Amino acid sequence: MDFNFSKQDEKFRTEVRAFIDQNNPAGRPEDRSPKDIQAWNQKLAEKRWIGFSWPREDGGGGGSVIEQFILKEEMSKAHTPALGSDFMGLAWVGPALIRHGTAAQKDRFLPDLLNGRSVWCTGYSEPDIGSDLAGLQTKAVLDEGSGGSHYVVNGQKIWTTAAHVAKWIFMLVRTTSESESRYGGITCLLIPMDSPGIEVQPIKSLVGYHSFNQVFFNDVRVPVENRLGAEGEGWKVVMGALANERSGISESTGMERQLEDLKELARNSKKNGRPALEDPAVRRELGRYESMISAMRLNGLRNLTKQLQGSPPSTETSVNKFLRGQLEIPMADFSMSLLGTAAQETGPWQTNSLTFHGVVIGGGSPNIQRNIIAERILGLPKD
Amino acid sequence: MNFGFDEDQELLRLSVRKFLDEQCPLEKVRELAQTPSGYSAELWERLAELGWLGLILPEQYGGSGQGWVDLTVLLEEVGRSLFPGPLVSTLLAGAAINEGGSDEQRSRWLPGLANGSRIGTLAFFDADSPFGPDGIAAFGQRVGDGYVISGEWASVSDVSEANLFIVAFRAANEGVTLAVVEADTPDLTATTLAGIDATKRFGTLRLEGVRVAAGSILGAAGDGSELATALLDRGAAACTAEIIGAAEALTQITVQYAKDRVQFGHPIGHYQGVKHPLAEAYVDCECMKSLAYYAAWSIDESPGEVAGSVSKAKGFASEAFTRIGVTGIQLHGAVGYTEEYDCQLYLKRSKWARPAFGDEDYHYERVATLGGV
Ligand SMILES: Cc1cc2nc3c(=O)[nH]c(=O)nc-3n(C[C@H](O)[C@H](O)[C@H](O)COP(=O)(O)OP(=O)(O)OC[C@H]3O[C@@H](n4cnc5c(N)ncnc54)[C@H](O)[C@@H]3O)c2cc1C
């Protein structure tokens, strides 16, 4: 057991800090222009820090998962813009391509992903299919007329974040009927969003933003070379992608930042007419959040140790995904209690206290994480 | 960065587990709980032979010179099997003398603690004082270069079994002093109280005008606050390690029960009202481990982080073990409420462990303070 970062890792941390000092766009995060962010991403790409832990032969930086951890941690501490503009593409589409893609697919998709020229969205959920993803019904049928060179896709996806800006959708379809083969009937397709027959309709979230959509597929023709993995192996592809999504969601760095903001709010708040920080219940609650966030960070490092020993992220990512939900909503509600009647107004804290409800559901609800832990880790019978 | 145990530590875990499974299964734990001393002198000797009593003491004093990460492995297994006896107390008394004492004091007391002939314990607080170094009572009076101390120390672990006490006190207008008091001192009364967990013994230590010579004082007189804090942190870390083993064992027992017990045509673990609390118990155990391993490592390697990392670990473990205790009983139904089923033994341990070396109120408050609020 050794929690010291190696000399090489520490050297890397110094390099990251120097880079941030030089290149982090000035001003508050919310005041940054798209141009600032583009320039920031350009500099990151030159360093090969976008896709940093991907293999160099795939255009990544060949960094270790520990270095990647350091990079994200330092960026979060310094409130820099995100690492690359295509969150979903980088967090799970790229890794899935690296693991399951053909050489031609990697050549075609990875450079654009790394350079921020493609934005991806993810098409799993359907109106009738949420938690029970394997029941999905959107169909893809090989078009015999075209000599089997195309699939024809029909159906509907929903809650598709960023579909209105995405160039590509990472999409699960059914190629064999559910009654014949539930898991084995699922296939993964990579579909250009400008394909004829795709229609995107916005859905307004309760926060009032437009972030997710419905996407309709009407006889959409997709070349077979856009299939990721073999026909019927989509479930395998998506299990890896979901573990990556959850491990991204489970990173503690965002939570650490939220806690710092929450402490600042507490310093400036009153409870029953006295400074909030004189209230032992307020102090204890902050101490509890801090302890649990440390547990998340350390759980993450334990998982990274396993990854260094060669096992890719898997069911253990559900632990931190679950914890994040256990923390995020209570922390947001705690901030509202510190605000007192100001909680009735609008503002960043108030918005947060609404936004987290969506974050906790996306990537699989807390109940689904409980099921995964109970069934796949503890071996309890499936319900 | 490496969050794993090394080969020696894995071997230590296996040998402790094998020894305790064979020599002290829960039937034996229950048997010992009925005895006045609460532990087996014979097994105590075996622990000494195996080198576990002196695990963290230097080799020159009969120990094996290992660190807190190694000790955490030992104590997780000890907690898993609810092994009774004055192990943690003796380890902490050893740590006190090793970290605070002179060479002369180390040679005088450590070999006996390592070979099992001496049983040590800490006596720090009276019944009314708050937990923490500031709560150490003014029971001392300066006399020459020593002290005369009188008072009653509460919650002293293994008080009737111990024959070497690390006593904390202060004289008026002075800081904390730690001193070694041996059990054969006249005017010393040890009283064991009836406890909620029969595998953990404790009680009060009464001293009436006991003379403490300069040679028994650990470190400088009146300057023991730092040492006291270090020992309380080590105690909390040790307690957390035992909690992990016990909480995992209770989770495991309950998972097994949920697989075996059938109601409404299914094993009860099929129902979410049962499986979800078990998933949460698992998450709690994972968090406790991450926090406790980091705390143990910081005791060995990163002194500046000890206070924060120990308080996060013990604060969280105090709450989490309490939750798991409840889950363990409730998911067993009525058999969980019987004397016969083992889950009750762990529930009682959770009640004992929560306040030991500071409950979550104390530790979360400390985390908040250290975190700048
Ligand atoms: C902000 C946001 C962004 C999203 N982005 C995307 C995206 O980009 N692409 C995409 O494909 N999807 C996306 N989703 C959808 C998300 O993956 C689903 O919402 C989620 O998997 C839950 O499905 P559902 O909404 O249909 O709820 P349901 O599955 O209908 O669940 C409703 C409730 O029932 C509970 N429940 C369901 N089944 C069980 C069970 N077996 N045991 C116990 N409880 C159960 C759930 O926990 C939940 O509380 C997004 C969702 C949100 C909120």
Side-chain angles (χ1 to χ4, degrees):
Chain A
M1 197 153 300
D2 181 4
F3 294 100
N4 283 317
F5 288 93
S6 69
K7 280 222 171 68
Q8 203 189 332
D9 290 339
E10 287 301 352
K11 224 178 100 200
F12 178 69
R13 193 185 288 277
T14 313
E15 185 186 343
V16 172
R17 284 185 183 159
F19 176 90
I20 291 173
D21 281 347
Q22 269 183 9
N23 298 303
N24 192 17
R28 294 180 309 172
E30 55 272 26
D31 298 337
R32 289 168 184 151
S33 70
K35 228 179 102 213
D36 291 342
I37 292 180
Q38 206 180 359
W40 162 257
N41 280 329
Q42 187 55 38
K43 296 251 172 53
L44 283 172
E46 281 161 21
K47 281 281 207 186
R48 289 202 176 202
W49 282 354
I50 296 179
F52 183 46
S53 64
W54 300 1
R56 283 191 82 85
E57 63 268 26
D58 294 320
S64 73
V65 286
I66 298 291
E67 286 172 320
Q68 167 116 331
F69 174 88
I70 292 172
L71 180 61
K72 289 186 178 168
E73 190 164 68
E74 290 302 323
M75 285 178 43
S76 174
K77 270 191 222 157
H79 296 236
T80 70
L83 197 57
S85 51
D86 181 8
F87 168 66
M88 291 184 261
L90 291 165
W92 57 86
V93 180
L97 277 160
I98 291 169
R99 217 159 134 198
H100 302 282
T102 62
Q105 286 174 330
K106 291 186 197 179
D107 282 351
R108 180 168 169 206
F109 293 113
L110 292 179
D112 281 356
L113 245 167
L114 291 166
N115 291 325
R117 283 195 296 265
S118 58
V119 173
W120 286 80
C121 65
T122 304
Y124 300 157
S125 308
E126 299 178 1
D128 291 335
I129 292 300
S131 301
D132 187 15
L133 181 56
L136 63 97
Q137 296 300 331
T138 296
K139 268 198 188 47
V141 178
L142 258 189
D143 177 18
E144 299 300 343
S146 71
S149 69
H150 282 76
Y151 286 102
V152 179
V153 177
N154 278 291
Q156 183 189 346
K157 296 289 174 182
I158 194 168
W159 317 125
T160 323
T161 302
H164 54 301
V165 291
K167 291 195 175 152
W168 290 87
I169 182 164
F170 180 79
M171 167 96 175
L172 285 185
V173 295
R174 180 159 286 293
T175 38
T176 310
S177 73
E178 196 185 351
S179 55
E180 237 173 288
S181 174
R182 187 168 152 87
Y183 296 98
I186 295 172
T187 299
C188 180
L189 297 179
L190 312 173
I191 307 179
M193 285 301 286
D194 59 3
S195 307
I198 293 186
E199 191 197 332
V200 178
Q201 284 181 5
I203 304 175
K204 231 188 205 184
S205 77
L206 62 80
V207 189
Y209 296 152
H210 168 206
S211 65
F212 52 27
N213 305 273
Q214 313 196 62
V215 187
F216 297 89
F217 295 80
N218 231 317
D219 287 334
V220 176
R221 295 177 64 79
V222 182
V224 283
E225 61 262 28
N226 286 22
R227 187 184 67 216
L228 182 60
E231 192 173 293
E233 293 205 338
W235 192 250
K236 206 167 79 188
V237 175
V238 79
M239 283 297 102
L242 276 172
N244 277 316
E245 176 173 359
R246 286 173 191 148
S247 96
I249 291 173
S250 334
E251 279 163 10
S252 58
T253 45
M255 302 299 298
E256 283 159 8
R257 222 162 61 182
Q258 277 174 44
L259 179 68
E260 287 314 309
D261 292 346
L262 191 57
K263 284 180 183 174
E264 196 50 36
L265 176 67
R267 282 186 196 104
N268 298 312
S269 300
K270 295 206 158 165
K271 271 254 165 212
N272 301 320
R274 310 234 330 251
L277 287 186
E278 288 177 12
D279 181 337
V282 168
R283 302 176 59 80
R284 186 181 50 216
E285 207 52 17
L286 290 169
R288 170 189 285 122
Y289 297 146
E290 181 152 352
S291 302
M292 288 181 67
I293 292 166
S294 289
M296 271 184 81
R297 177 175 188 269
L298 295 167
N299 288 341
L301 285 170
R302 265 168 87 203
N303 293 343
L304 288 187
T305 301
K306 285 184 216 151
Q307 283 179 41
L308 282 176
Q309 291 157 357
S311 26
S314 169
T315 42
E316 75 280 353
T317 56
S318 289
V319 169
N320 268 3
K321 162 76 170 110
F322 174 70
L323 274 171
R324 182 159 184 171
Q326 293 296 93
L327 274 165
E328 229 158 15
I329 292 178
M331 279 170 70
D333 285 339
F334 185 67
S335 75
M336 294 293 272
S337 85
L338 289 171
L339 289 176
T341 50
Q344 298 166 329
E345 301 165 17
T346 56
W349 287 106
Q350 294 83 337
T351 302
N352 253 351
S353 79
L354 301 174
T355 312
F356 286 135
H357 288 275
V359 178
V360 169
I361 298 167
S365 73
N367 273 352
I368 296 312
Q369 307 314 315
R370 288 183 178 97
N371 280 355
I372 290 172
I373 292 165
E375 293 166 11
R376 295 198 223 150
I377 299 181
L378 298 177
L380 289 163
K382 277 178 113 45
D383 62 291
Chain B
M1 176 59 57
N2 171 8
F3 216 129
F5 292 102
D6 65 25
E7 222 170 290
D8 287 343
Q9 289 159 344
E10 295 295 355
L11 273 175
L12 174 66
R13 185 184 296 283
L14 286 180
S15 52
V16 178
R17 189 176 293 192
K18 183 159 180 285
F19 175 82
L20 293 174
D21 282 352
E22 285 172 8
Q23 304 296 321
C24 201
L26 287 176
E27 304 86 78
K28 175 89 176 174
V29 171
R30 285 170 177 268
E31 215 175 277
L32 290 170
Q34 303 297 323
T35 64
S37 76
Y39 78 105
S40 152
E42 193 190 325
L43 288 176
W44 185 251
E45 260 174 51
R46 297 286 306 280
L47 292 192
E49 285 159 22
L50 287 161
W52 296 339
L53 298 182
L55 195 74
I56 51 167
L57 298 178
E59 289 176 34
Q60 66 194 106
Y61 303 117
S64 38
Q66 305 292 305
W68 275 81
V69 174
D70 307 271
L71 187 66
T72 299
V73 171
L74 170 68
L75 292 179
E76 271 185 276
E77 294 307 315
V78 164
R80 188 181 313 280
S81 50
L82 300 178
F83 176 73
L87 176 63
V88 171
S89 312
T90 300
L91 289 164
L92 291 173
I97 294 167
N98 187 41
E99 295 184 29
S102 63
D103 285 343
E104 193 271 322
Q105 290 169 323
R106 290 194 192 106
S107 355
R108 187 160 142 212
W109 286 306
L110 292 185
L113 289 169
N115 70 24
S117 61
R118 276 187 184 281
I119 290 174
T121 193
L122 309 182
F124 271 38
F125 302 109
D126 68 301
D128 298 326
S129 41
F131 181 81
D134 297 339
I136 290 169
F139 287 158
Q141 232 183 355
R142 263 283 185 183
V143 177
D145 57 357
Y147 291 89
V148 171
I149 52 178
S150 300
E152 188 170 278
W153 283 259
S155 302
V156 180
S157 287
D158 305 300
V159 67
S160 298
E161 289 67 45
N163 47 39
L164 186 153
F165 297 90
I166 309 296
V167 178
F169 57 91
R170 59 177 94 227
N173 307 318
E174 268 191 19
V176 172
T177 298
L178 296 185
V180 179
V181 172
E182 300 193 37
D184 54 10
T185 310
D187 303 315
L188 175 154
T189 321
T191 313
T192 294
L193 297 176
I196 193 165
D197 174 5
T199 66
K200 286 285 186 189
R201 302 301 172 100
F202 62 88
T204 56
L205 173 72
R206 216 183 150 70
L207 302 178
E208 297 279 2
V210 168
R211 204 174 140 65
V212 173
S216 300
I217 295 170
L218 299 176
D223 196 21
S225 176
E226 213 173 295
L227 179 60
T229 304
L231 289 169
L232 294 176
D233 280 337
R234 279 148 183 73
C239 187
T240 305
E242 276 199 304
I243 287 177
I244 294 171
E248 268 201 317
L250 179 55
T251 304
Q252 229 162 25
I253 290 173
T254 312
V255 164
Q256 192 56 51
Y257 189 76
K259 290 178 182 173
D260 295 340
R261 171 75 175 169
V262 174
Q263 284 296 287
F264 299 98
H266 293 286
I268 55 169
H270 159 96
Y271 304 110
Q272 293 188 349
V274 172
K275 74 167 56 154
H276 285 183
L278 289 171
E280 287 170 19
Y282 176 84
V283 171
D284 276 340
C285 287
E286 289 302 293
C287 292
M288 280 194 253
K289 285 189 201 175
S290 292
L291 291 167
Y293 298 164
Y294 194 82
W297 174 81
S298 65
I299 291 175
D300 287 336
E301 303 286 341
S302 185
E305 292 181 275
V306 170
S309 66
V310 165
S311 276
K312 286 172 182 171
K314 180 62 172 62
F316 184 82
S318 297
E319 278 194 318
F321 192 18
T322 301
R323 284 195 286 267
I324 294 171
V326 173
T327 296
I329 301 295
Q330 291 302 317
L331 295 188
H332 274 79
V335 297
Y337 189 64
T338 62
E339 223 267 293
E340 179 192 346
Y341 271 67
D342 291 329
C343 44
Q344 56 105 349
L345 301 173
Y346 293 93
L347 174 73
K348 290 171 184 169
R349 175 60 67 87
S350 76
K351 308 267 178 216
W352 176 86
R354 187 180 195 169
F357 292 98
D359 61 10
E360 65 269 31
D361 288 349
Y362 171 78
H363 285 292
Y364 285 154
E365 165 63 38
R366 192 168 177 229
V367 171
T369 305
L370 292 167
V373 301

